[in-house]
Every structure is written in C-alpha cells, then in structure tokens.
Amino acid sequence: MCIRDSYLMSGSNDGKLKIWEIKNLILYKSIPTLKNEKQHFAKYSDRVVIICENTTIFIRNWMTDKVLLRHPNSHNKFITGVIFKTYIFTSSYDGVLRIWNVPEGFESIQLLKSLVFRAKIQAFQVLQNNEMVQVILKNRMSIVYNWEDNIEVRAFTKIDASKVYGLACLQNSSLLVPLRDFTIDIYPWKGDKPSVKLRGAMRRITSTIIDRTNPNFIWGVSLDETIRKWDLSNGNLVKVMKNHANFVEGKLGGCLFIEPLGLIAVYFKKNILVWNLFGELKGKFKVDNEITGIIYNTITASKVYPYSTSTYLIVAMKESKELAIIAVSYTHLTLPTIYSV
C-alpha cells in the first residue's frame, strides 16, 4: 500500500510492518506489531495509518512512531479487514461489520454502528458518500446495506451457490459473479436475473479488472492462457490476447492496470507479461522466485531508477528478501533489476 508518493507500507511474516522509501529502495522503518498476528492496515493520511491486529485498532503516526490511539477489544473475534473513508470500517471473523468515528485530535474512538450478518464476511466495500456498504458473505450472498438508516437496500439471494466460485463488487453496486462454466454474470442494482453474461473463456477466469480508461469495459485473465476484454453494457467480447504457450509454465494469476500508460501487466508463477490495449505483447520477463504481487509507481530519476521520470513495476517474490524493478514506458521495458531488501 502506497502511503505517500515515495513510501510503501507492507506486512511481513516477522511480525513487523515495514515502510519502504521507494525512490532509493531502502527500508525506511520497521514498526513492531504483535508477533505471529496477521495485520490489516489502511491509510488515514500521509503521516497516519490505521493498523488492526487481532481485536485491537491502533492509529499511528508512522513517521514519528507515536501511537495516537489504541482501542483493544474492538471486536469479539479477530479483525479481518479495515477501510478508511471518512469513517473507519472494520470487519471481523464472526460476521460483524463496525463503523467508527475518530475526532481530529485522536483523543477517542466512537462506535457509530455495529452490523451483524449471518455468515463470515469474505469482503466488503464502501459505496455512495460512505452511507452504504456492500458485503460479500461466505454463504455466497451479497448485501448492500445503508448503515446510517439501518436499511437493507439490496440482497442478491437467488444465486445458485453450487455454480459460483467467487464474487466481486463493482463500484456501481452491481455484482460480478464468476461461474464454474467459465462465464461471468453481472447482476444489476435491481432485479434477480443477470443483466449481462460475459462468455468466451475456455477455462476458469482467475482475475478481473475494470478498464481505467473506460469503465464500460472489463478485462479478464483465464486459465486458457488468454486475456479477454468485454463490453459491460452488452456482454460482447471485444478482444482476445493470447500468450505464447512455450512461455507459460503455470496458470495465470493476478493482473494490474498501469493507468498512466494504458498497459496491463499479468503475473503467474515466476512470469510477467505486459500488454498494451491493442493486444500487442510489449514485454515478457521471468524472475527467480514465485511472484506474490506487483504494484506500479511513477518516480523521478535516482541511483535505483536510472531513467528520467518514468513508471516502474515493483515486484515482490515469495520467500525472498529481494524486489525486482522493471522500468516501463509505452514503447520499451527494461530487463528486471534485482535489489536485496
């Protein structure tokens, strides 16, 4: 998570949150946390982060290392997610979503609402001026809830759970449902039948992203070694981008939209492919360890980043203390440079 233009926060198995100075790729600071506890964190401001460990909420100035607020026993079960949008939203393992207000001076924290759902919360997002939340439950149900007025606005209930292997929320509050028959159903705000079906994939769709240049389009990465682009308004398949079979050594994993350049980066196993929106493969790379995640950032020149102001992919790898850096422009990509961290 980027907490400022030049700093990145990451979790770690050693029980510490780490702040990285992106420009020179050095560890700026380690923040000790509860050992062996999974941390969830969200950006509050350029200097302040919200850190949730077990059932405790911390608000911390990461630059001065000062704990501004500590609120133990915020939930009965351990916290599974946190979002900050005007208010602090936290979810817990027992299906409870809580909304908190923190005064400007951080002298206290006030519980505004506690919503109890019938199953474990898999994911949630905040919608429409922070008045509504969309919650995805373990029983494959998605609920849109106006927490201020205590009203259930929408529940997607008539979905055959046996055919579903995942759910996702779209920002217009519609529901994206990948199915086991390799299609995606888009359920509208009103109505119990899908408004659009996205077809064409020959195997399971593993990841989707909305086209940032035009939110009417969606890109899907599939196990059939393709990337597909669909029109959300009518479900038409607009484009298919195919990988080179001799390069693919495993199923496609996640994808990232590189917004400043209009490029898509796809990673799987130890490999990265970068495409432009015309379906042209701009670069392919292989690193030494399995990739766990990628982000991009635009950074001015330095010792680590030798080019003039440019966009860089920063690649984290499994069981490795190294990061791979790839300079990206619309016309060229550099070979990965490995840095120990």
Side-chain angles (χ1 to χ4, degrees), residues 208-228:
T208 57
I209 48 173
I210 297 295
D211 191 322
R212 300 286 179 83
T213 61
N214 187 338
N216 292 321
F217 294 99
I218 190 170
W219 297 84
V221 176
S222 170
L223 293 183
D224 62 7
E225 301 173 5
T226 64
I227 304 170
R228 296 172 188 267

Side-chain angles (χ1 to χ4, degrees), residues 271-290:
N271 306 295
I272 299 174
L273 298 175
V274 180
W275 306 79
N276 67 18
L277 300 187
F278 297 102
E280 299 168 337
L281 183 65
K282 304 300 292 184
K284 54 185 181 180
F285 307 98
K286 189 170 183 178
V287 293
D288 293 335
N289 294 286
E290 185 173 338

Side-chain angles (χ1 to χ4, degrees), residues 112-270:
L112 300 178
K113 190 79 67 174
S114 186
L115 307 177
V116 181
F117 297 96
R118 295 187 291 273
K120 179 185 174 183
I121 297 172
Q122 299 283 76
F124 71 96
Q125 68 175 358
V126 182
L127 307 170
Q128 296 186 11
N129 300 322
N130 308 322
E131 295 175 358
M132 289 193 283
V133 290
Q134 185 168 16
V135 179
I136 292 176
L137 304 177
K138 190 176 181 180
N139 60 6
R140 305 294 187 187
M141 182 187 295
S142 174
I143 296 173
V144 179
Y145 204 91
N146 185 320
W147 64 269
E148 288 194 336
D149 297 333
N150 245 9
I151 298 173
E152 185 179 291
V153 179
R154 177 77 169 92
F156 298 88
T157 56
K158 296 183 178 180
I159 299 174
D160 186 350
S162 65
K163 297 180 180 179
V164 176
Y165 64 78
L167 297 175
C169 307
L170 300 180
Q171 277 300 323
N172 62 0
S173 304
S174 56
L175 189 67
L176 184 149
V177 185
L179 300 172
R180 295 187 185 278
D181 62 359
F182 319 138
T183 64
I184 296 177
D185 284 353
I186 307 293
Y187 282 80
W189 175 255
K190 294 182 179 179
D192 288 316
K193 293 183 178 180
S195 58
V196 176
K197 272 189 167 297
L198 308 181
R199 304 177 185 274
M202 304 303 293
R203 295 186 66 190
R204 181 162 67 88
I205 299 162
T206 60
S207 183
T208 57
I209 48 173
I210 297 295
D211 191 322
R212 300 286 179 83
T213 61
N214 187 338
N216 292 321
F217 294 99
I218 190 170
W219 297 84
V221 176
S222 170
L223 293 183
D224 62 7
E225 301 173 5
T226 64
I227 304 170
R228 296 172 188 267
K229 180 182 180 181
W230 287 279
D231 188 330
L232 285 173
S233 63
N234 53 31
N236 288 343
L237 180 62
V238 178
K239 189 179 295 294
V240 179
M241 301 190 296
K242 297 181 179 180
N243 295 322
H244 300 287
N246 62 350
F247 181 68
V248 175
E249 296 182 356
K251 65 181 182 180
L252 292 178
C255 49
L256 173 74
F257 198 93
I258 309 172
E259 194 167 355
L261 302 174
L263 298 174
I264 292 178
V266 176
Y267 66 90
F268 54 98
K269 294 275 185 173
K270 302 177 182 180

Side-chain angles (χ1 to χ4, degrees), residues 284-335:
K284 54 185 181 180
F285 307 98
K286 189 170 183 178
V287 293
D288 293 335
N289 294 286
E290 185 173 338
I291 298 167
T292 56
I294 56 175
I295 63 170
Y296 76 85
N297 211 331
T298 301
I299 307 166
T300 54
S302 69
K303 288 182 179 179
V304 173
Y305 307 96
Y307 298 91
S308 59
T309 301
S310 186
T311 299
Y312 292 83
L313 288 178
I314 303 172
V315 183
M317 293 172 283
K318 187 177 182 180
E319 297 178 354
S320 173
K321 294 183 179 181
E322 297 176 327
L323 294 176
I325 305 296
I326 302 170
V328 181
S329 77
Y330 194 78
T331 57
H332 73 273
L333 296 90
T334 65
L335 291 173

